[in-house]
Amino acid sequence: MRETFVDTATELLAEDPRLALVLADISAAAFAPAARRHPDRVVNVGIREQLMVGVAGGLALTGLRPVVHSYAPFLVERAYEQLKLDLDHQGVTAVLVSVGASYDRAAAGRTHLAPADVSLIDTLHEWTVYVPGHPGEVAGLLRGAAAGDGSTYLRLSTQHNDRPWGGDGALSVVRDAGPGAPLLVAVGPVRDAAVAAVADLPVTVAYTHRPRPFDVTGLRALAGTEVILVEPYLAGTSSRVVSAALADRPHRLLALGVGREDLRRYGAPEDHTRWHGLDAAGLRRSVVDFLDSVPVAAG
């Protein structure tokens, strides 16, 4: 996904004079050819992530369309105040592109983990969030975001599904278990694991790579009384959206994702996926327990 981003952004800089790229050392070497060709529109501020976002806000105020790039914890968590003030409060927009996802660089320790990034972006004003599930989805999402005028967060990961999935971000049925079946919504790179987890269960699986704005219309059309939400970031991030969308009908919701416990361990991304129960086996256990549980009647 990162390589696709570099290639596509380099092409966009040549195609669109409105576009500017702001870096904080991360991926600077990969963008060196673009920086030589467009020295006035490729800015590397060094390891100063807050400044990176502040510069992007200034560029946006001049009419440029900034693309801002770094690791997720540096781009969203470390520079959150600047996102809030220098972009949202100023009424200007940008395209943020992160790498690292929740725990892609697990071996680097907690400084490089960012499971709460989408939750933080969710506190800002009307941002679009893309979480591609395959490198083949990245170029189209980036091009659409760059051509637009709203604020967008594009979350890239080393983890991905076996094949890309098209669409504009509306919920797309991957596996149809029929009317009234429990609905599992898988976001981005957890799709394949989710499908494998319910392979022999009567569960409909729908996919999206655009959790914000969430496809509420599609959700209401597909959901019965049981909804399972699987997200590759902080568990429950989209719970409020799903609950609000289905507030007028009885339903149960199971929200799966990265747990809130600080594991205080390194390991590989695959280890963290297993520890958080986001592999196929872990998802299956959670789904089966949820479907087998009997709601307690009010009395």
Side-chain angles (χ1 to χ4, degrees):
M1 291 191 192
R2 187 176 184 175
E3 292 173 358
T4 301
F5 160 62
V6 170
D7 292 343
T8 305
T10 298
E11 294 170 1
L12 287 169
L13 284 164
E15 297 167 7
D16 187 354
R18 186 179 66 127
L19 209 67
L21 178 67
V22 190
L23 307 170
D25 266 4
I26 301 300
S27 300
F31 280 111
R36 288 192 292 270
R37 287 193 292 269
H38 313 286
D40 55 336
R41 291 189 290 120
V42 178
V43 181
N44 180 14
V45 302
I47 308 175
R48 300 174 179 87
E49 289 84 4
Q50 293 95 333
L51 175 61
M52 173 181 65
V53 175
V55 167
L59 292 172
L61 285 169
T62 72
L64 291 173
R65 178 71 164 156
V67 175
V68 193
H69 168 63
S70 187
Y71 270 87
F74 310 151
L75 179 60
V76 178
E77 295 180 333
R78 188 172 295 174
Y80 174 74
E81 185 174 13
Q82 283 66 43
L83 297 177
K84 180 178 67 176
L85 299 179
D86 295 347
L87 293 178
D88 261 27
H89 187 62
Q90 295 295 330
V92 294
T93 63
V95 179
L96 308 186
V97 182
S98 74
V99 292
S102 292
Y103 43 71
D104 286 356
R105 283 290 303 277
R110 188 64 180 88
T111 56
H112 284 64
L113 276 58
D117 57 341
V118 177
S119 292
L120 282 171
I121 292 293
D122 215 15
T123 67
L124 302 175
H125 182 64
E126 294 184 350
W127 281 62
T128 296
V129 177
Y130 290 121
V131 183
H134 188 277
E137 299 170 18
V138 172
L141 296 178
L142 178 60
R143 284 185 169 275
D149 56 10
S151 284
T152 299
Y153 179 47
L154 177 58
R155 187 186 206 255
L156 307 183
S157 177
T158 60
Q159 301 178 74
H160 58 80
N161 303 309
D162 285 342
R163 60 187 178 92
W165 198 271
D168 59 358
L171 289 181
S172 177
V173 175
V174 178
R175 179 177 186 269
D176 190 351
L183 172 66
L184 187 155
V185 177
V187 178
V190 297
R191 186 192 70 214
D192 285 357
V195 171
V198 301
D200 61 344
L201 300 176
V203 174
T204 292
V205 179
Y207 171 74
T208 184
H209 53 212
R210 192 202 66 202
R212 294 294 182 279
F214 198 93
D215 179 15
V216 170
T217 300
L219 175 70
R220 289 182 59 82
L222 293 170
T225 58
E226 294 168 314
V227 178
I228 302 153
L229 182 63
V230 184
E231 300 178 277
Y233 34 80
L234 196 64
T237 295
S238 294
S239 291
R240 66 171 185 84
V241 180
V242 173
S243 295
L246 302 177
D248 62 337
R249 62 173 80 166
H251 68 279
R252 293 198 302 147
L253 172 62
L254 172 65
L256 302 175
V258 179
R260 293 178 179 271
E261 179 186 359
D262 189 344
L263 299 178
R264 294 188 174 89
R265 63 183 83 168
Y266 289 79
E270 295 77 14
D271 296 318
H272 284 254
T273 294
R274 185 177 69 257
W275 294 333
H276 288 290
L278 291 174
D279 59 336
L283 291 174
R284 181 180 178 82
R285 287 192 299 271
S286 296
V287 170
V288 169
D289 288 347
F290 174 68
L291 297 180
D292 286 348
S293 64
V294 179
V296 178

